[in-house]
Amino acid sequence: MRCGVSVGMLGPLEVSAGDRVLGPRELAGRKPKQVLEILLVHRGQSVSKDRIADLLWGDRLPKDPVRTLEAYVCVVRAELAPVVGDVRRLLRSEPGAYRFSIEDIELDADRFDKLLSGAAAAPALAERIELRERALGLVRGDLLADEPYAEWAFPLRDLYGERHLQLLLDLAEDCLTALRPMRAVEYAERVLEAQPARERAHRLLMLGHYACGDQDLALRTYQRCRRVLGAELGVRPLAETERAYLAVLGHAPVEAVLPPARPPVTVAPRPPQTRFARSGDATIAYQVLGEGGLDLVVAHAWFSHMEIGWEEPRYAAFLRRLARGHRVIVFDRRGMGMSDPAPPTVSLAERADDIRAVMDDARSQRAVLVGSCGSGPTAVALAARAPERVRGLVLFGTFARMLATADYPAGWSREFFEQYKAGLEQGWTTGRGIRRSVPSAGPDESLMEWLGRLLRLSTSPAAARAILDFAATLDVRDLLAGIAAPTLVLHRRDDQWVHPDNGRYLAAHIPQARYVELDGADHWPWFGDSESVLRPIEEFLAGLLPDPVRGYSEGRRATLAP
C-alpha cells in the first residue's frame, strides 16, 4: 500500500510527500543521511547493523558503533516524520538490522526502470519516444550525487549511469527514425560528452547532422569517430558505421540512411532480487530463482553483473531453464559487478569461501556447483576441500590451469595471454574481442553494446588485467583426484578460447567424471546450441535427485522466493 511518499535517488537524495520536500541538507547531518542512503541502495533488503557500521566508518569505528548507529536512525526518523507520517513503517527495525520499505514508496529508480521496459515493448514509435523522454526527465544527475565518493553507492551509480547513456542512445535513434534529427543530435552529443569512444553515438550524430542538411559536418563527425577509435582503442569503425559514412558521402536520400524503427520486444519477467552475503570483510551479491529439486550454484566466468546479465535474452532463458524444478543461485564473485571491490590477489581458498558464504546466506547446505571458464578452478577447489557442501559438479569450457606448461600443453600460450590482456580496453568500450568468443552471434551490434555494458560494469580494465595475472598463477591439478562428487565435464569441440584438451584433462583426472564433447565454437554456454548444453546437465541433475522422492531439496532449511 503506497503512503504518498516519493524518494529520489537519480540525483541528490530527495524525500517528498505532497508539497513537503527534504533534500540532503535537511536530513540531519551527513552520517544520519548516509544511513538512509545505504538502506535505499540495498533496495528494500534488511541490512545488519554491523554491515551499516562497516560502510559508514570502515576501520575508524566509534567507541560504541551500534549505539551511535541507533542514535542516527532516531535522528533520521525525527526528520522524516513530519513529511512521511508513520516513519517506522518505512524505516523498519528488525532483529540486529534495519530495512527501508521501498514497496511503500514511489522510488524514482524503479519508475525509471518501468518506463524503459514499457518503451521497449511499445508498438508505436511516438509512444516509445514519449516513455523514454519521461524516463529521461527523472534523471537529475548521478545517483545519490550528494555522496560522490561513497564506495557503497558506486555499483548502483554505475548501473544507472550506464542505463542513462543507453537511454540517450535509444532516444537519438528513435528521433532519427521519427525525422526529428535536431533532437537526435542533442542526445548523441550528450553521450559523447560522457564517453567519447562510444561508436554508436558517433554514427547517430553523423546521421543526425546529415538529416539536418549538413553533409560537411556529418563527414567531419565520421572523421572524428575514426580518430577517436584509432587513438583510444586501436580499432577501425564497424562495418555499419562505414556503410553509413559511404551513404552520406554519396549523397544518399536521407530516408535511405536513417535507422528503421525497431520492433517492440516482449517484456521479460523481472530479474530476481539482488541479495548480499557477507564473506569475511567482503559483501557478495547474489540472486536466487526457482524452487524445488536441487540447489545449483552457478559461478560465472571472468566477468559478470547481477543486473546487466538479465538484459541478454539468451542468458536469461538459460538460467530460467535451469531453474525449472530446481533452485538456482548465481553470484558476482568478489571484485566483480555488484560485489565488493577486491584486490587481485584474493586466494582460491577465499573465493571458495565466498561460494560457501553465499550458500549459507541462501540457506543451502549442499548444492551442485556449475563452473565455467575462469570460475572452474574455484568450483574444483570447493568440491575438493568441502565435499560435504557439494552434491555434484558441472564444468563447462574450463581448465585445471590457465597457462600451458611442458606437462600441460592444453593451456593458453604466454603470447596469447599477453595479447588478450592488451586488448581489454577494446572490449570494455565496444564489446569487440570478447564477442569473438561467441561466433554464432555474427556481427550483432546490439550484442556488442550489451557486452560493452557488461564489461564496464563488471570491473575496470586495469583490475581485469590484475585478476588475469593472478589467475595465470593458479593450478588445481593436484586437487582433481580428491573430488568425490559426481562430475559432468562439458566442452565445445571448436572452442577457440579454451581448447577442448582442457576439458578432456579434467575428465581424465576427476574420479567420477563423465566427459561430453559438444559441437560448436561458442565459449559461453547460453550462445549457439544451448539445448545441447542444457540436455546433458538436466540428465545429470535427474540422476542426483533422491529416489523415490523427487523434488526434495537436500539439506535446505528454507526457500527464498525470487
Side-chain angles (χ1 to χ4, degrees):
M1 183 80 178
R2 302 278 178 178
C3 60
V5 177
S6 297
V7 175
M9 299 174 65
L10 301 180
L13 179 63
E14 185 177 273
V15 181
S16 62
D19 59 355
R20 301 287 301 275
V21 180
L22 293 178
R25 295 177 180 272
E26 292 81 39
L27 283 166
R30 187 179 179 199
K31 289 297 183 186
K33 174 183 69 71
Q34 287 182 331
V35 172
L36 176 58
E37 291 176 324
I38 287 170
L39 294 174
L40 286 169
V41 163
H42 283 77
R43 307 294 287 272
Q45 294 184 62
S46 178
V47 187
S48 72
K49 294 179 181 180
D50 288 343
R51 173 62 176 160
I52 298 173
D54 181 54
L55 294 174
L56 280 177
W57 295 294
D59 295 332
R60 306 176 70 177
L61 292 171
K63 184 176 180 180
D64 190 340
V66 172
R67 183 166 295 180
T68 304
L69 173 59
E70 290 169 348
Y72 286 167
V73 170
C74 289
V75 170
V76 172
R77 283 172 170 160
E79 292 294 334
L80 290 177
V83 176
V84 305
D86 186 5
V87 68
R88 288 183 176 273
R89 177 181 167 187
L90 292 181
L91 207 171
R92 301 187 179 189
S93 296
E94 298 184 351
Y98 293 108
R99 183 170 72 89
F100 197 88
S101 180
I102 62 172
E103 61 266 23
D104 293 326
I105 63 171
E106 181 76 25
L107 187 65
D108 62 351
D110 287 346
R111 181 64 179 154
F112 180 87
D113 291 340
K114 290 175 183 175
L115 286 168
L116 294 190
S117 296
L125 179 61
E127 181 185 4
R128 192 176 307 167
I129 292 173
E130 180 200 355
L131 292 173
R132 285 178 170 151
E133 289 184 333
R134 283 167 58 189
L136 187 62
L138 294 174
V139 180
R140 297 173 289 115
D142 290 339
L143 183 136
L144 297 179
D146 50 292
E147 288 293 340
Y149 307 112
E151 290 188 4
W152 41 263
F154 287 176
L156 203 62
R157 178 177 299 144
D158 290 344
L159 174 64
Y160 278 93
E162 186 64 36
R163 285 178 177 170
H164 177 216
L165 292 178
Q166 189 65 34
L167 169 61
L168 290 170
L169 287 168
D170 290 341
L171 270 172
E173 184 171 305
D174 288 344
C175 287
L176 274 177
T177 304
L179 300 178
R180 296 164 60 183
M182 294 183 67
R183 298 296 296 274
V185 166
E186 174 194 341
Y187 293 135
E189 285 178 338
R190 288 167 65 176
V191 174
L192 292 174
E193 287 174 7
Q195 290 187 354
R198 198 73 173 249
E199 183 176 350
R200 184 184 173 200
H202 281 286
R203 184 173 63 253
L204 292 171
L205 182 60
M206 173 177 64
L207 295 177
H209 286 314
Y210 186 62
C212 287
D214 196 333
Q215 184 199 35
D216 181 61
L217 187 52
L219 295 175
R220 280 189 278 135
T221 299
Y222 167 79
Q223 296 300 334
R224 174 190 169 196
C225 171
R226 186 167 178 168
R227 284 196 307 272
V228 170
L229 293 180
E232 295 196 13
L233 304 175
V235 299
R236 292 175 57 86
L238 292 168
E240 186 172 350
T241 304
E242 295 282 6
R243 285 195 298 270
Y245 162 70
L246 292 174
V248 170
L249 185 64
H251 297 276
V254 169
E255 292 78 7
V257 302
L258 297 184
R262 293 178 184 257
V265 299
T266 302
V267 177
R270 286 179 64 87
Q273 182 185 40
T274 300
R275 306 171 185 273
F276 297 90
R278 195 74 173 155
S279 179
D281 294 332
T283 298
I284 310 300
Y286 75 96
Q287 296 172 340
V288 179
L289 65 155
E291 58 183 351
L294 300 165
D295 282 352
L296 279 65
V297 177
V298 177
H300 289 294
W302 293 118
F303 314 113
S304 68
H305 190 285
M306 284 291 93
E307 303 286 338
I308 293 296
W310 292 95
E311 294 179 4
E312 167 48 48
R314 286 159 287 205
Y315 168 86
F318 188 89
L319 287 187
R320 293 194 187 281
R321 170 76 173 270
L322 285 179
R324 291 182 188 173
H326 300 289
R327 193 171 72 137
V328 173
I329 303 167
V330 293
F331 66 97
D332 284 334
R333 65 184 191 162
R334 193 186 307 205
M336 290 289 166
M338 300 189 75
S339 292
D340 277 355
T345 53
V346 174
S347 69
L348 200 62
E350 288 173 304
R351 293 203 178 277
D353 287 342
D354 290 346
I355 296 179
R356 278 192 281 199
V358 168
M359 290 174 63
D360 290 343
D361 201 75
R363 300 182 179 182
S364 173
Q365 291 184 353
R366 209 166 179 223
V368 177
L369 302 184
V370 182
S372 65
C373 192
S375 68
T378 306
V380 164
L382 184 58
R385 293 169 175 164
E388 74 282 358
R389 304 301 300 269
V390 180
R391 183 69 183 86
L393 181 62
V394 178
L395 299 173
F396 177 89
T398 188
F399 45 80
R401 63 170 286 135
M402 179 187 287
L403 296 186
T405 60
D407 60 344
Y408 190 80
W412 284 1
S413 68
R414 172 61 69 173
E415 179 184 15
F416 180 83
F417 177 70
E418 295 298 336
Q419 288 176 349
Y420 176 58
K421 284 199 304 174
L424 285 177
E425 278 84 356
Q426 292 184 22
W428 257 250
T429 304
T430 67
R432 301 187 196 199
I434 304 296
R435 196 206 65 77
R436 296 180 191 129
S437 63
V438 286
S440 71
D444 182 345
E445 191 190 17
S446 64
L447 173 62
M448 285 191 283
E449 283 272 334
W450 173 78
L451 283 169
R453 289 197 300 278
L454 175 69
L455 295 175
R456 285 190 294 275
L457 292 172
S458 292
T459 190
S460 69
R465 276 193 293 271
I467 290 168
L468 288 170
D469 280 334
F470 183 69
T473 68
L474 300 177
D475 188 336
V476 297
R477 287 180 292 174
D478 61 336
L479 299 179
L480 300 179
I483 296 176
T487 302
L488 175 65
V489 181
L490 302 170
H491 217 107
R492 283 185 169 136
R493 186 170 292 110
D494 298 315
D495 188 335
Q496 299 300 304
W497 285 83
V498 178
H499 194 277
D501 281 350
N502 289 274
R504 296 169 190 145
Y505 183 97
L506 290 167
H509 290 81
I510 296 174
Q512 294 192 65
R514 176 188 171 217
Y515 180 66
V516 178
E517 194 160 290
L518 309 168
D519 290 334
D522 292 290
H523 182 58
W524 292 6
W526 40 85
F527 283 93
D529 183 9
S530 60
E531 181 66 28
S532 69
V533 180
L534 288 162
R535 192 181 307 112
I537 293 177
E538 290 171 340
E539 292 172 358
F540 177 72
L541 297 176
L544 297 178
L545 282 168
D547 191 24
V549 184
R550 302 280 176 177
Y552 170 75
S553 183
E554 181 173 0
R556 187 183 308 162
R557 296 190 295 273
T559 297
L560 296 177

